Amino acid sequence: MYAIVRAGGRQEKVSVGDVLIIDKVKGNPGDSLELAPILLVDGEKVTTDASALAKVKVSAEIVKPTKGPKITIQKYKNKTGYKKRQGHRQHSTQIKITGIDA
């Protein structure tokens, strides 16, 4: 059994026990959260009906807050002596899927 859920502006394929990284969510490690399912596959049965998916709950647990890889931003203009360098690391959260209740 697996589900497609909306997590942090993206859609992720999850099953019980999966660990994935999503955009930052508020909470401490050990807190639980609920993700909105878009599609549910249970063996041969595929569920996409909104009224049926309203009954489905995909629960997850926050493992730890993390940061993404460093992105280097550089700007340069020729013949003027202008150059600028900046870095960025996106904040994210690592979660573990604890259950899919259909």
Side-chain angles (χ1 to χ4, degrees):
M1 172 189 261
Y2 69 89
I4 306 293
V5 296
R6 182 172 291 129
R10 290 188 300 254
Q11 295 177 3
E12 301 280 347
K13 177 182 174 182
V14 297
S15 59
V16 177
D18 286 352
V19 176
L20 60 130
I21 296 176
I22 62 170
D23 290 344
K24 184 179 177 182
V25 293
K26 291 184 180 179
N28 296 321
D31 291 350
S32 62
L33 61 107
E34 204 169 296
L35 302 172
I38 298 172
L39 178 120
L40 178 68
V41 177
D42 185 11
E44 295 295 320
K45 185 179 176 187
V46 177
T47 306
T48 59
D49 184 34
S51 61
L53 288 174
K55 300 172 189 172
V56 176
K57 294 184 180 183
V58 178
S59 57
E61 178 184 342
I62 297 175
V63 177
K64 65 179 179 178
T66 60
K67 288 185 178 180
K70 182 146 188 166
I71 298 170
T72 305
I73 304 160
Q74 292 183 339
K75 295 181 180 180
Y76 176 77
K77 291 194 177 180
N78 194 14
K79 300 177 188 172
T80 61
Y82 173 78
K83 57 184 173 182
K84 181 179 179 181
R85 192 168 149 199
Q86 179 181 354
H88 176 76
R89 289 186 76 182
Q90 186 71 26
H91 293 277
S92 57
T93 303
Q94 186 177 9
I95 63 170
K96 181 177 182 179
I97 304 300
T98 56
I100 300 174
D101 301 325

